[in-house]
Every structure is written in C-alpha cells, then in structure tokens.
Amino acid sequence: MSEHISGGKNFIQQIIEQDLAQGRFQGVHTRFPPEPNGYLHIGHAKAIVLNFSLAQQYGGKCNLRMDDTNPLTESTEYVEAIKEDVRWLGYDWEDRFYYASDYFEQLYQWAVELIKKGKAYVCDLSPEEIRQYRGTLTTPGRESPWRNRSVEENLELFERMRRGEFPEGSRTLRAKIDMAHPNLNMRDPVMYRILHAPHHRTGTKWCIYPTYDWAHGQCDSIEGITHSICTLEFENHRPLYDWFLDQLGVHHPRQIEFARLNLTYTVMSKRKLLQLVQEGHVRGWDDPRMPTLRGLRRRGYTPEAIRNFCHTIGVAKFNSTVDLALLEHCVREHLNKVAPRVMAVLRPLKLVIVNYPEDKVEYLEAINNPEDPQAGTRPVPFCRELYIEQDDFRLEPPPKYYRLAPGREVRLRYAYFVKCVEVVRDPATDQVVEVRCTYDPNTRGGAAPDGRKVKATLHWVSARHAIRAQVRLYNHLFTKPDPENVEEGKTFLDYLNPNSLEVLPECFIEPSVQGAQPGTRYQFERLGYFCVDPDSTPEKLVFNRTVSLKDTWAKVQKRLQQQSAG
RNA sequence: UGGGGCAUGGUGUAACGGUAGCACAACUGACUCUGGAUCAGUUAGUCCAGGUUCGAAUCCUGGUGCCCCAGCCA
C-alpha cells in the first residue's frame, strides 16, 4: 500500500536521508518489536505505521519481531493477537517474522565472547545488593566484589548458570563497563538473569534469559536493521546499545527515539489498560471504549482511518497529547466516503400520517452513498405509521430549531412533506407519545412541485417494516482530558466516565440491513457511523456507534442552554 | 545537588539564517433532500533575557519549565 506523507520531512526521515547520502547504510530496514505480553493499542499503531511506512518510503523492508526475553509475562496468545492486529492494520512482514528467542544461542555465544574479552563477568550479588552497589543518580556506584574473576572462572560459572546449577536470582552475568558512569545504565548492567521458568517457545531449554539491553541491539544487528526506532524512554539506553555492538564489532544499526502517542480522554499504558480489563471497568480488551486496536476495530474504526491518523499526527521528540477529536475526524473522513447510508431511529416516536391509506405500502428510492455514485440506490418501504427520532419533534420549539413542531411542515427523507396536525400525549405523564401529520401526495420523493421549501429533513423508519436492534452509544472513557494527571489521593480510575456506555435496547432500523454481518459499517443518516457488533444474533442486531456525525444543532443547543443558564 | 532529552496558535506538526505554513478544534458565511458532506473565510503561535547578523523560530550565552533514568521489566 502506498500512502502520501504530506508536508516537510520529520526528523527521522532527515536522519535516514543523511545516513543514505553519507553511505552509512545502503538501504533502510526497520522493525516493529513488540513484547508479547499485552494487546496492541493506538500508540503501537503509531510505531507500526512509522516503521512500515519508512521502509516502504525508502524502498526497504520492515520486520515483525516478538521481543520475548521475559518468559514470566509473555505468551503465544499475545503473539497471535499481535500478528492479527498488525495484519488488520494493513501491513505485511512477508517472511520476516522473528522472535528474539530465535537468537538465544547466538546471544549466548556472544556473551561468551565478551567474557573472553574481559568485558563481562558473573556476579554473585543479590538483586538487593546490586541495587545498593549501583549508587544513586548523584553518587557513583561501587564495583562488585566479583568483578575481577578470571576469564576461566567466569566461563565456567556462566556455563553452569546455563545448565541450571544455581537458584533463581543467585547470579547474573554483567557487562564490565563503569560503576561511576553518570548514566546508570552503564554501571555494569545485567545481561543475563536466572529464571527457572518455561518460555512459551523455548520451553525449558533455557533457564537464563537475556535482558532487554543485551538482546535488543544484537537482535537488530542479526536482522540487518539499519534504523532501530524506539520510544523516548530508551534514549538513556542508547550508549549501552552502542557499547555492546561496538564490543562485538558487528553490524551496527542506529537507534532513533521518538515520543510515544498520548491521546486526550484515555490512558495508554499497558498496566492501566490491563487494570481496566481486570477490574471490570470495561468488558474486555476489545471493549469498543478501549484504545486497543481490537477495541477500535470492534468500535468500527477502519485501518485506513487509523493509518491516516498516524500520518497526520507526525513524529517528534516532544511529549505531546493529541486531541481525540483528530482521531474522530480521521474515521469520519474515511467512513464518509465508504459507509453506505441507512435510516435508523434510535429513540423512537410514533408518527402517523392521518391522510395516508391504512394498507398502502410504497417503496421509495434512497441513495446508498451520495459520496459514491457507484453505490447505487435501494428501495425503502413507507407506510402510514412511522417512527421518527424523539429529538426531531418539539412541542415548543426553541429558537433556531427547525425540525417538526405543531403546525410545522418538514420533509421525510426520500418520501413526502408532512405537516404536524395533532399531538397525542400520555394523560399520566403528559409525554408526547404520538405525532399525527398529514402528507402532501405531490411531494413524493421529497420535492415540492410548487417549489416551496422546508427547513428540515428527517430520517424515519416504517413501523411495519422496521427491524429491531440494540444500539450501544459510546462516550469518552474518562471525564477528564488528562486522566493520568491525578489530584492528591486519587487515581485515574476516579475519573472514569460513568456514562461512557449508553445502551439503547429498542431501536428501529430500515429492513435493508437485515442479516448484516458483524463488522459491517453504516452511516445512520443524521446520526453517525455504526458498526454491527459480534454480539448480534439472528433475532436481534447489535450496533456500536463508532462516532457521531458532526452536529451543528447540538452546538447551537448547548450554547443556548449555557446562555439561559448564565 | 548527576546524566540524558524536549520547548512554535487551544491541540498536533512544518519552516534548517530570508514573507512563520499545514491539519484538527473554535468561530463566520455560502450551498445542501443528512443541521452530514463540500466550499470560502476569521481568530490564534516561535518559553524568557541578552548577544551575533542587514536579517534569528533557526546560530551563541545565560535562565525558566516539562519529560526520562537508581528492575535480575521492556
């Protein structure tokens, strides 16, 4: 696929072009290296799109690699989910799907090499002692008493570590660098730890596992990666990334760091997302309120929209927070072009056309997508009793409200002009339960031969033909644009929006959507974009609202309310 | 009180010593059988203080603010 990246070059493209021009690298080879310990979210999408499109843009390749160096938290369940999500997003790693664990043996051999060079040693300090010896941000650390073991002893001990002769946590292999280094990552970092835990791929073959620092750069090197793009928190690790590669004298990719994505009204950290799922604040990883790719997919987002969003937000090193409205804009933009239009009434109000014959049914022609003439038309049944939206009728219309009201005439989309002549109210509650209208037979199709205009066009559904559906409306998951910015004594959970999910159990939809499969997207005219949920049954469809349509009336209304309140 | 980064309208991002641009948001207006879409327009920005220069968002100096680092997580 090819996408246009408009505007100037971002700083990564500039670095790449410089590297190419100076001959530092012959081509571009990137990789997306998730750890299979959680589901991918929109922040990962930024990294995926970045890596794959950079490769595409410079005629290179992009690998998919599972960074599976910690058997305690990782599983094949996540591996499969990640592959599925990357594929869904629209990317193809062809035959270049790798695991860090593919390289465990090579990593081990390289570690032996460093030991032989006197650049690594087996350390018997406990985790607690290592921490104490490390020093602090402002004071240097102390050298481990095991730092100067002989190469022979180190070699023997390291091999015995591998054979499983020592208990978990009792020893580590450490790089011998500089305990006084101002960058704590350089104070003899751990390369291997003993973990008597089975790995989802290597089983019980290994009981020593490489740390991120020891594994990552070397994996990049093995795969011939040229530009190893990661997030800002790894900037402090770059000296170590470079150090290992330099000691080994192998192919040396360039690590480049960029700022991870933050979005308003949501949280992005794996830990917090996991908490939302585990504590039942959402229904699962694929809850349509989650910023996970599965959640967005279920919600009705398209890969195209997400990719376009990722391009639009750009890349930089500044820690920023993107307005959720931009993501919403991107889905609307795409769905506007591709989603078939359909009429659906979410909060039904009965409308009876008093001068329309009881038994008559007409089929009116409706346009499937005004943005796409190829999409054609469909017949929509019309009869005496219809449903319209409760919002589309007011007993006492406020200023600027130009929908239906007593005595007013409006157009029923693709059908007729109707005029409200009577209102039926529930004697007990005084609520309007039915609106009675007359129709003008000369306006069939929606145009008046005498040229008279109406201010409003309403969507409607034939009561006799409508199919019923449940519709789930979603709002911001949090009440605050920055839920991670918590007040004293609170957590992000205190800002959960109690109204983030609103279920409308009895909605009416035009019959053409009958049998729609999960994942099918529509525009419900005048309301928004909706997507068939997998919870649907043959008896009852369930829809998720992806995003509402832009609603100028809602804005006007809000302003009017604020004016009257203030 | 160590080290590493980053500061451009409300938000996100360009401009690489030469007219501060684009997108979203907000606000006008036009058009409209979706109060949708589309089109036109408006508001609004270089963290601060010095310096170099004919000319500084850009270079220099000094501040200020924010982010990251003391896992055998990644």
Side-chain angles (χ1 to χ4, degrees), chain A residues 50 170 245 289 400 536:
Chain A
L50 221 200
S170 61
L245 262 6
R289 291 166 292 182
K400 303 240 177 96
S536 296

Side-chain angles (χ1 to χ4, degrees), chain A residues 404-520:
Chain A
L404 199 59
R408 279 213 196 158
E409 185 176 53
V410 298
R411 170 170 37 235
L412 293 178
R413 179 142 232 226
Y414 300 124
Y416 295 98
F417 283 14
V418 293
K419 187 175 194 171
C420 175
V421 292
E422 190 186 346
V423 171
V424 182
R425 298 160 83 162
D426 180 329
T429 64
D430 219 29
Q431 289 295 300
V432 175
V433 292
E434 185 179 307
V435 174
R436 299 179 152 251
C437 297
T438 54
Y439 85 114
D440 177 354
N442 293 320
T443 57
R444 190 177 199 277
D450 63 2
R452 77 180 187 278
K453 300 280 186 196
V454 287
K455 282 285 259 182
T457 299
L458 310 187
H459 60 276
W460 51 272
V461 165
S462 159
R464 197 183 307 167
H465 307 270
I467 58 175
R468 298 198 315 206
Q470 182 194 99
V471 174
R472 299 172 181 169
L473 304 181
Y474 301 100
N475 299 301
H476 294 158
L477 223 203
F478 293 93
T479 53
K480 201 170 173 281
D482 53 344
E484 312 205 48
N485 181 10
V486 300
E487 295 167 62
E488 183 73 34
K490 293 198 170 187
T491 76
F492 74 105
L493 296 171
D494 291 310
Y495 305 108
L496 274 166
N497 178 7
N499 304 314
S500 59
L501 169 63
E502 200 177 338
V503 178
L504 304 178
E506 283 284 302
C507 305
F508 295 104
I509 315 209
E510 64 166 74
S512 70
V513 306
Q514 186 72 263
Q517 296 303 299
T520 309

Side-chain angles (χ1 to χ4, degrees), chain A residues 257-271:
Chain A
E257 311 84 11
F258 71 97
R260 53 162 21 116
L261 171 68
N262 295 294
L263 261 188
T264 55
Y265 297 103
T266 191
V267 293
M268 212 68 93
S269 86
K270 272 187 191 174
R271 201 206 100 234

Side-chain angles (χ1 to χ4, degrees), chain A residues 378-416:
Chain A
R378 68 188 184 284
V380 182
F382 180 89
C383 63
R384 189 172 194 265
E385 296 197 357
L386 312 169
Y387 290 109
I388 62 165
E389 211 68 59
Q390 286 171 21
D391 275 354
D392 287 340
F393 176 82
R394 288 291 186 88
L395 222 35
E396 293 167 13
K400 303 240 177 96
Y401 181 90
Y402 41 83
R403 276 112 98 147
L404 199 59
R408 279 213 196 158
E409 185 176 53
V410 298
R411 170 170 37 235
L412 293 178
R413 179 142 232 226
Y414 300 124
Y416 295 98

Side-chain angles (χ1 to χ4, degrees), chain A residues 114 118-121 143 147-148 174-191 213-214 237-245 247:
Chain A
L114 288 195
K119 297 292 186 182
Y121 63 96
E143 296 190 346
R147 198 174 202 256
N148 295 308
R174 295 227 256 164
K176 191 190 284 190
I177 308 180
D178 179 4
M179 288 308 291
H181 199 107
N183 179 340
L184 305 216
N185 293 126
M186 299 297 274
R187 321 246 258 228
D188 289 11
V190 171
M191 296 167 63
D213 285 313
W214 171 238
H237 294 247
R238 193 172 63 230
L240 181 53
Y241 182 100
D242 290 335
W243 189 88
F244 281 131
L245 262 6
Q247 296 307 315

